[in-house]
Amino acid sequence: MSDSSPLQRPATRAARLSAIEQALATHIVTSQSQLSKILIDEGIVVTQATLSRDLDEMHAVKTRLKDGTVAYAVDRGAAVGEGEAIVGERSEAQMSRVLSGLVTSVAAARNLIVVHTPSGAAQYVASVVDKQPIDGVLGTIAGDDTVLVICTDDDTAAARADWLLTLASK
């Protein structure tokens, strides 16, 4: 297992698909052999045939990026390789629409972000955050009116809390 990521994955198909999706979201992947090497670094060994089936099942397609590079992408509304963007513009606009109506407060506490919502809305807000491959965000835990967003470190939590507050304020 690579020491660069605190995320550990079980040896299951769902975990492999998640790792592939994360790799496509965080790297510019131009070939299946490059993707295979990224997965090996994560401790996941996969045959080319399985990788090909996985990419097909995920509806991953090769897309021409702004710089002309042809790379794999999964159509989730976020473009691959957008530079400094936390998520794609379309995804950010969708998140903003949801968050602006449901987030009542946001606070960073060490590597965590506490997001308050009206009663009953926390799980929906958490699912909106979880569906986006947001750099530095490991996942969420939702109660009735509170979402806990777990980040990789304190600085990331502070930055993502500001970003979420900005999205909710639009």
Side-chain angles (χ1 to χ4, degrees):
M1 177 82 25
S2 173
D3 289 333
S4 65
S5 172
L7 193 64
Q8 296 183 337
R9 299 181 190 276
T12 63
R13 180 180 163 280
R16 184 180 69 244
L17 292 174
S18 175
I20 292 169
E21 188 172 13
Q22 183 178 10
L24 295 180
T26 59
H27 297 83
I28 295 175
V29 178
T30 59
S31 69
Q32 289 184 12
S33 63
Q34 179 190 6
L35 180 56
S36 178
K37 289 175 186 166
I38 292 168
L39 293 174
I40 287 170
D41 289 344
E42 294 276 329
I44 300 170
V45 178
V46 63
T47 66
Q48 188 276 327
T50 299
L51 190 54
S52 185
R53 279 191 301 273
D54 289 346
L55 288 167
D56 186 52
E57 181 180 323
M58 297 170 66
H59 304 290
V61 293
K62 281 202 165 182
T63 300
R64 187 167 306 278
L65 304 177
K66 290 177 185 174
D67 68 0
T69 304
V70 177
Y72 281 100
V74 177
D75 183 22
R76 292 183 60 176
V80 174
E82 288 200 30
E84 295 300 311
I86 295 172
V87 297
E89 286 180 32
R90 182 173 163 208
S91 295
E92 191 169 280
Q94 290 170 340
M95 286 181 71
S96 179
R97 278 193 296 279
V98 171
L99 298 179
S100 66
L102 296 176
V103 172
T104 59
S105 69
V106 177
R110 300 193 57 103
N111 71 315
L112 306 173
I113 303 169
V114 178
V115 179
H116 288 107
T117 70
S119 184
Q123 291 184 9
Y124 181 61
V125 169
S127 74
V128 168
V129 173
D130 283 338
K131 287 179 183 172
Q132 299 304 321
I134 303 170
D135 189 40
V137 173
L138 299 173
T140 63
I141 299 172
D144 180 58
D145 63 357
T146 305
V147 178
L148 186 64
V149 182
I150 300 101
C151 298
T152 53
D153 57 55
D154 298 2
D155 292 337
T156 300
R160 296 301 173 262
D162 289 344
W163 176 71
L164 287 170
L165 187 58
T166 300
L167 284 182
S169 300
K170 287 184 179 180

